[in-house]
Amino acid sequence: MTQVPEPADPYRWLEDADAPRVRAWLAAQRRLLEGRPHRGDEPAWAALLDQVEREAPARMPTPPAEAGGSLFRHERGPDGDRLTVRHLDGTRHSLIEAADRHGDRIADWLPEPGGRFVVAQLHRDGGENGGLRLLPTGPDGRPGDVPDAAPYATLAFTGDALVYTAGTRTEHSLAARDLADGTTRRLTLPVSGPVRLTLHGGPGGFLLLRTRPQPSGPVRWWATRWTGRTVLDWQLLDLSQWRVTALDVNETVCFLAADRLLVLDLAEVARGSADRPTAAGSSAVDRGPGQITALRVLGPGPIPRLAVLRRVGTAHRLDLHRPGEAPDDATALHWPARLRLGAGPFDSHGRVGGAVWLLADDPRYGTWTRRLDGAGPIVLPERRAKLRTLTAAGLDGTPVPVTVCDPQPQHWNRPVPTLLTVYGGFGIALEPSWDPALEAWLRAGGRIAWVHARGGGEFGPAWAAAGRGAGKNATVDDFRAAAAMLVERGEASAGQIGAIAASNGALVIAATITREPGLLAAAVCVAPLTDLARYQVGGLGRLWTAEYGDPTDPRALRELLDYSPYHQVVVGTDYPAVLFATGAGDARVPPWHAWKLCAALGRANSGESPILLDHHDGGGHQGRPAAAGRELAARSLALLGAATGLRAPTGPTGQQP
């Protein structure tokens, strides 16, 4: 195969973040950022953001959970995160208070079934560090640290032990901490070599383990019962023909969701007499619509009630029924935005409970939660956004859904400044959700549009695969088609389209800027990949070959260069206003990706729109501490508003009905 000439890389010197020349360049970008002419709009946007956050106190980033008869809640307010517990006697106290004052956010948490402890992972300054905090819920316990836990560790409680994945983001081991004496030991794995692990646990010491060798290899599933006293005896499960998307257990059975509901008898698995699940009901009943994304077993026995959450295209459906029973359309909850289920419930005796909490996002009115116990239909909030779904046509004719939230429902067809966002990668669905910056845009009179481009998980594996490798060109073109459709329909006028996204979504926006510079009036790209010829250098890029293709392969390199934003910059082009945001603590995408494209666009731009960089020495891939995050949000809204013609109101604003 013909070799591809090494692509031009005039700003490779920016990859050395510690070099004096790079530090000088960053300082110059900071002066340019702070001296731009539209900065005067920032105070009004900052005031609006402050009002939005004050009027949405104690919103919940994750669903509540019940354990040991106590109720646990994770709340996020202007001062940071709190994790609280309410005991059976009605007393309530905080386990973690205002973590973000110290640059921390609660990334994940899980209560012990008896409610005696909560395990939480805190991420500092937007980073994705490992380690766990073990927090007793009673007055006499002492907090403990589990420093070797991996980032995004998966956990299980069994007997008097906490079992968890230890190590790094990409290579795991399995460890157990004794909750009584605090000692830690490594546990035997059923496979050798570098491996990534996902752990699931259930009552009675049941452990289910997913293994995947690194950097590549087949996924395998293993099961055992372990109380902390015996030797681990892993049993290999025959799940090779199924793609498991969700699972949960009680004391008797394990339910798994694939293309249908499956069930494992745990007693037979422990005896080694069963390694393959059976169907949990008839095919017509258990397949149901869409893809199951979450599953909760409610109650004991072999035929418990199940809470089944499905993604149906761009929306969600939640059902409560027993295996073999048909879901009831009359009682199902249909929701057009993000919807999540809390951790599996446990009653006051530490047994599997009969109710689970749900958490729903409303892009206009915030988050709301309900306890799902089957006692009656779920009562929806009186105020809720009326989202619309439009359809754009990709360049090849593929229908591309676009979810729209209007500033005022009675003005659906009025052209207003419209802010688009996208992800389109790694099989992850883009879900409309609440964010203070997006609500501020709506309150100011703008429109929000979520583009469900190929590469995401909205329509299952085939939709995700269509946006991988060379298909990433289709992802970019899907986004372009959505923006053009909104203008053609009169949702926005030419010059009123802005865009904001992070990570892979920011790559899609950056590629749109260089492929069709006149389409967007402004864009904010947070932590983007931009140099696709060198995406494997640094961060986690070496793990993304399946998503983007291998740049050492000449054919794949040509496909990458076809949309690589850094390599598509043309000198003398009038580019839109762009703000790049990066953090020094980003462990996934090196900040130099944004720096190189910023430098290239700044040199090539023939127009007057600013090309800006906001780099934070403490931020990471997951954002920034609260104050710095609000400053970036106000700065982003000011740039987008100035370019699209949207002004922040100067006085108090109320929610539109």
Side-chain angles (χ1 to χ4, degrees):
M1 183 175 291
T2 305
Q3 295 295 311
V4 180
E6 184 174 353
D9 191 1
Y11 295 101
R12 184 176 291 189
W13 56 271
L14 283 170
E15 295 182 13
D16 185 0
D18 296 324
R21 183 183 181 189
V22 176
R23 303 312 297 179
W25 181 84
L26 289 172
Q29 296 304 309
R30 173 58 59 178
R31 291 192 295 271
L32 182 64
L33 179 71
E34 294 176 348
R36 69 198 185 286
H38 295 301
R39 194 180 182 194
D41 296 335
E42 280 185 31
W45 284 107
L48 180 56
L49 282 166
D50 182 66
Q51 180 184 347
V52 167
E53 291 199 339
R54 282 188 286 104
E55 293 176 1
R59 68 181 181 90
M60 285 176 283
T62 54
E66 295 180 11
S70 297
L71 177 63
F72 298 85
R73 292 169 57 101
H74 173 200
E75 301 171 348
R76 179 167 294 160
D79 293 329
D81 284 16
R82 290 194 305 167
L83 186 59
T84 65
V85 57
R86 190 183 70 196
H87 298 288
L88 283 171
D89 61 5
T91 59
R92 183 175 185 264
H93 68 274
S94 294
L95 303 172
I96 298 176
E97 183 75 37
D100 208 22
R101 291 175 182 170
H102 308 289
D104 291 341
R105 282 205 169 186
I106 300 171
D108 202 2
W109 58 281
L110 182 70
E112 181 263 339
R116 300 173 299 161
F117 300 92
V118 172
V119 177
Q121 185 163 87
L122 305 180
H123 287 174
R124 174 151 291 179
D125 290 340
E128 298 171 282
N129 46 283
L132 297 169
R133 289 285 286 162
L134 187 60
L135 305 166
T137 60
D140 300 327
R142 289 186 177 182
D145 290 309
V146 186
D148 62 336
Y152 302 104
T154 50
L155 319 170
F157 289 96
T158 176
D160 286 325
L162 167 67
V163 184
Y164 60 94
T165 51
T168 67
R169 277 288 302 273
T170 58
E171 295 184 12
H172 294 156
S173 59
L174 198 62
R177 178 188 175 100
D178 190 299
L179 296 175
D181 62 21
T183 58
T184 299
R185 57 171 164 153
R186 287 287 184 266
L187 302 181
T188 303
L189 290 174
V191 295
S192 60
V195 64
R196 296 183 76 177
L197 307 173
T198 305
L199 178 68
H200 304 269
F206 177 74
L207 298 177
L208 190 68
L209 187 68
R210 179 182 183 269
T211 63
R212 182 172 184 174
Q214 294 298 296
S216 63
V219 171
R220 290 191 174 95
W221 291 85
W222 311 79
T224 190
R225 280 194 184 275
W226 187 68
T227 61
R229 307 294 181 187
T230 57
V231 176
L232 284 163
D233 182 20
W234 294 106
Q235 304 292 322
L236 179 63
L237 302 178
D238 184 5
L239 296 177
S240 57
Q241 73 180 82
W242 290 290
R243 177 176 172 266
V244 177
T245 59
L247 63 92
D248 199 21
V249 302
N250 65 10
E251 296 88 347
T252 309
V253 290
C254 172
F255 286 93
L256 305 101
D259 63 341
R260 62 181 304 175
L261 280 176
L262 306 169
V263 63
L264 277 168
D265 185 303
L266 301 185
E268 292 185 2
V269 170
R271 289 194 298 265
S273 57
D275 65 353
R276 184 181 178 86
T278 58
S282 69
S283 173
V285 169
D286 286 324
R287 280 204 168 99
Q291 173 181 293
I292 297 176
T293 59
L295 183 65
R296 296 292 180 267
V297 177
L298 305 181
I303 312 178
R305 289 184 305 168
L306 302 175
V308 182
L309 179 62
R310 289 180 169 90
R311 179 178 294 114
V312 185
T314 62
H316 290 90
R317 171 181 173 138
L318 179 60
D319 292 285
L320 185 64
H321 60 86
R322 295 187 186 276
E325 294 180 351
D328 187 349
D329 287 338
T331 60
L333 170 64
H334 299 269
W335 191 249
R338 180 183 293 173
L339 185 64
R340 288 164 287 173
L341 293 177
F346 293 91
D347 64 19
S348 58
H349 302 287
R351 299 172 302 202
V352 174
V356 68
W357 288 81
L358 66 87
L359 179 68
D361 277 55
D362 185 309
R364 180 189 298 278
Y365 297 113
T367 58
W368 57 273
T369 189
R370 295 289 187 273
R371 189 174 188 264
L372 182 66
D373 59 7
I378 298 171
V379 179
L380 297 177
E382 291 186 8
R383 294 196 313 169
R384 55 186 184 273
K386 296 179 180 179
L387 304 184
R388 298 182 288 141
T389 301
L390 308 177
T391 303
L395 292 188
D396 59 358
T398 299
V400 180
V402 181
T403 302
V404 173
C405 186
D406 299 292
Q408 296 183 25
Q410 63 267 35
H411 294 149
W412 282 359
N413 295 320
R414 173 187 171 190
V416 297
T418 300
L419 185 58
L420 278 68
T421 190
V422 67
Y423 190 73
F426 296 92
I428 298 173
L430 178 69
E431 300 175 318
S433 57
W434 184 85
D435 181 273
L438 298 186
E439 185 180 328
W441 187 267
L442 290 168
R443 288 201 191 189
R447 176 174 283 122
I448 305 291
W450 292 264
V451 180
H452 305 282
R454 277 171 279 190
E458 289 87 340
F459 299 98
W463 188 256
R468 292 196 197 107
K472 200 62 73 182
N473 272 293
T475 305
V476 177
D477 289 334
D478 287 351
F479 182 77
R480 295 169 57 210
M485 177 271 294
L486 291 170
V487 174
E488 290 168 3
R489 283 179 50 91
E491 307 280 345
S493 301
Q496 287 187 315
I497 297 286
I500 185 169
S503 197
N504 185 82
L507 160 63
V508 175
I509 291 177
T512 297
I513 291 168
T514 55
R515 182 168 290 185
E516 191 175 352
L519 182 63
L520 302 176
V524 175
C525 296
V526 181
L529 282 174
T530 71
D531 182 349
L532 274 299
R534 289 174 59 78
Y535 79 83
Q536 292 180 316
V537 178
L540 297 181
R542 67 192 182 281
L543 303 178
W544 300 336
T545 303
E547 182 69 21
Y548 298 113
D550 186 354
T552 65
D553 176 77
R555 178 177 178 179
L557 179 58
R558 280 193 291 269
E559 294 168 346
L560 287 164
L561 293 176
D562 192 38
Y563 69 91
S564 177
Y566 177 56
H567 300 97
Q568 294 298 320
V569 175
V570 177
V571 174
T573 301
D574 186 359
Y575 287 105
V578 185
L579 174 63
F580 295 100
T582 58
D586 194 331
R588 298 195 196 191
V589 178
W592 52 255
H593 276 278
W595 301 353
K596 290 167 75 171
L597 182 57
C598 179
L601 288 175
R603 178 176 178 272
N605 190 19
S606 65
E608 298 181 357
S609 297
I611 308 295
L612 302 169
L613 172 68
D614 185 340
H615 177 69
H616 191 273
D617 285 332
H621 200 76
Q622 295 299 313
R624 302 177 179 184
R630 285 193 290 271
E631 182 181 29
L632 174 60
R635 183 169 290 150
S636 300
L637 291 170
L639 178 108
L640 293 163
T644 60
L646 187 68
R647 300 293 299 273
T650 56
T653 64
Q655 276 283 17
Q656 297 291 340

